[in-house]
Amino acid sequence: MILPIVYNLVIIILRTCFTTIALSYLPVWLTLDYLADFMYIVDMIITVHTGYLEQGILVKDLTQLKKHYLHSKRFLRDLASLLPTDFLYFAFGIQTPMVRINRLLRMPRLNEALDRMETRTSYPNTFRISKLMIYIFVLIHWNACLYFALSSYIGFGSDRWVYPNITKPEFASMRRQYFYCFWFSAQIFTTVGDTPLPKREEEYLFMIADLLIAVLVFASIVGNVGNVITSLRDRDNVFFPNHELVKQYLRSHHISKELRQRIDSWYQHLHINKKIMRENEILQQLPLHLRTEIAVSVHLPTLSKVTIFQSCEKSLLEELVLKLTPQVFSPGEYVCRKGDVGHEMYIIKEGKLAVVADDGVTEFAVLSEGNFFGEISILNIKGNKSGNRRTANIRSIGHSDLFSLSKEDLTDVLSEFPAAKRHLEEKGRQILTKMGMLEESGERETGETEKIETKIKRLESNLEVLQTKLARLMVELESSNRKMQARVEQLEWEVAALGPQVPEDGVEGEQAQDRGEGVGGEVGLEREEAEGEEEEGSDVKVKKQGQGEDSNEVTKEGDGESTKSTKEDVEKTEKGDKSGKDLDDEEKKKEDGGEKNREKGDERPGKGDGAEIEPEDEKKEEGGEEGGEKAEEYEKKGEEVGKKDEGQKK
């Protein structure tokens, strides 16, 4: 869409102001006009089929795409830019292409295209400068066309400010007309000056507007160019260390000339060969997974060449590649010396290094691209005779690029991969065994350490199992306690519901006179705290044994109910038995002085077993009407039992 939009942006105003150019190439202009309109239509069709993001998901369904586009403001703008305003040619004439001014409504599409190109290009700074120059060119072009139109309105050659008289041969050609107007506008916008002074009010107004625009244009040019230069400087500072600061430090501390030359040579090598030393800072803004993929694509082939890492799992290698640090060594510089404590291992990316003797002259071997050294020192293997110290001198022959992996980074990564850690240590021990650098005692200590670790892990697993069982038992105990408590509460409520309540004193006296002396003046039971069904059964049996066999037979025959059926039946039978015993005790009192009652400790006359428990005032009010009805029912049963007892005696 860049070509058709720029075409309409430049040609419409050109044909409107320079009528000679418009009429001279009319067939060409009409063909390009309708070709641009056709590209506008194609762009709308493609836009309908272009997906959009909804909640981070790319929508591709054609129905939703149509609905989304047709209900957007963009569709209205695109539709307005394609309105057939060319029919206005019949009203204003073919020499007025300004009727196609609605085609400029597609300008946002041009801005979108330029923004996308800027994000995709490998040279964004150059693209920004080019885009700025295009905008300035279009602005000067429009101003040149308006200047020519204003000169035509005032009159060509009427004064020195307007365009010269076109009747002169040197100013009559179309190219001369356009180039002169473009040069005049460029002088104004670049604030160069040397333009003729205006004579008319129209000329003054035009110059004032141009000068105001020129200030903005000049400021935009200076600002954009300054931003480009600043971004280039920032890029250099990120990619390469700041050389000026280092130079200032060396001068202030009076460093020797030889060392300064080595440092300058190192900087020159970085800049000439575009070596990047601050990879982690450059990629810090990217998400972790993208950084990992970049590091894998760049460093994984190099890391895979290391013997101890060749059979490791890929996830471990992906963690390690993020820890690799690039280093550059100058010619003759020692990477490590014999006897130094090893804190990192090195992988050669580019260059050559020599294994030299202590004298620095004798070379035992030459290491090249893909070789590595120092891997044993970072594994910290027990029994290593060298004690994690360097066993050789390594010196760079020329400029060498290496990757270093520190012991701390490897330890952090291996803490998450225990299996890989054991595998690497085993490989390290094999290498030390071949080199004769591993002590046997170290192996035994390692075996004992492994046994202790195995025992500790087994004890930890057993402890976890016991803790699980204990937790399960505690849960079962709590559940049993809750069930027992609920059962006890249920029994208490049942006993409270079955216990008879004491009637009021007036009704009590009338019932005592009607029944005589058999039952007694008051009938009631105190609400007992039920401690279990066995205690209640034992109480009933003790009472029955004290009353004799006759009372038991009367109770069994009178009630006809088994005393062992349910708890409720036991309570009812007990109350009836007690009422019968009251009558029997009254007769025996008259006859033999109530010996049995005195044995039971009942010294109150006129009271039987049913009145052994005295009712309390607090219990009288709890029963209510329901307790009174049950008391009357139990009293009737007691009267029936007493009558049957008298009949048997007779």
Side-chain angles (χ1 to χ4, degrees), residues 8 36 52 104 133 185 303 319 441 490-491 638 647:
N8 287 319
Y52 65 94
L104 300 182
M133 298 307 296
S185 297
L303 188 63
E319 291 286 340
S441 59
Q490 182 180 0
L491 292 175

Side-chain angles (χ1 to χ4, degrees), residues 324-521:
L324 294 179
T325 304
Q327 295 187 12
V328 178
F329 291 90
S330 302
E333 187 177 357
Y334 279 88
V335 178
C336 61
R337 293 181 181 272
K338 186 177 181 179
D340 294 343
V341 178
H343 295 289
E344 60 275 316
M345 68 168 294
Y346 296 95
I347 305 170
I348 302 174
K349 180 183 179 183
E350 185 180 351
K352 291 185 178 182
L353 293 90
V355 182
V356 298
D358 294 337
D359 56 6
V361 179
T362 306
E363 294 185 0
F364 298 114
V366 176
L367 306 177
S368 59
E369 180 181 354
N371 294 123
F372 54 91
F373 56 92
E375 70 278 7
I376 301 300
S377 61
I378 66 174
L379 290 177
N380 199 19
I381 299 174
K382 294 183 178 180
N384 187 359
K385 294 181 180 180
S386 61
N388 293 332
R389 294 183 177 272
R390 304 295 188 187
T391 58
N393 300 311
I394 309 295
R395 187 180 63 189
S396 177
I397 298 176
H399 287 283
S400 303
D401 296 343
L402 283 74
F403 287 116
S404 66
L405 178 63
S406 66
K407 180 187 295 185
E408 292 77 10
D409 292 337
L410 181 63
T411 303
D412 293 341
V413 174
L414 291 181
S415 62
E416 302 176 0
F417 299 90
K421 181 179 180 181
R422 291 192 296 269
H423 176 71
L424 292 177
E425 290 177 351
E426 182 62 28
K427 277 196 170 184
R429 282 192 291 270
Q430 293 176 2
I431 295 173
L432 289 175
T433 303
K434 290 180 181 179
M435 296 171 59
M437 300 292 292
L438 184 65
E439 296 179 356
E440 295 181 359
S441 59
E443 294 181 354
R444 287 196 298 269
E445 291 178 0
T446 304
E448 293 177 359
T449 304
E450 292 179 354
K451 289 181 181 179
I452 293 173
E453 291 179 354
T454 304
K455 291 180 180 179
I456 292 174
K457 290 181 180 179
R458 186 171 63 253
L459 291 175
E460 289 178 351
S461 62
N462 293 336
L463 180 60
E464 291 179 357
V465 173
L466 292 176
Q467 288 177 348
T468 304
K469 291 182 178 180
L470 178 60
R472 188 182 299 113
L473 291 175
M474 292 297 293
V475 172
E476 292 178 357
L477 179 60
E478 292 178 0
S479 177
S480 300
N481 289 337
R482 287 196 298 270
K483 291 180 180 179
M484 183 65 70
Q485 186 176 1
R487 179 61 178 165
V488 171
E489 291 178 356
Q490 182 180 0
L491 292 175
E492 290 178 354
W493 282 105
E494 289 179 357
V495 171
L498 293 176
Q501 303 297 326
V502 180
E504 296 181 357
D505 293 340
V507 178
E508 186 180 1
E510 295 177 359
Q511 291 178 353
Q513 292 177 0
D514 294 339
R515 291 196 307 268
E517 298 177 356
V519 178

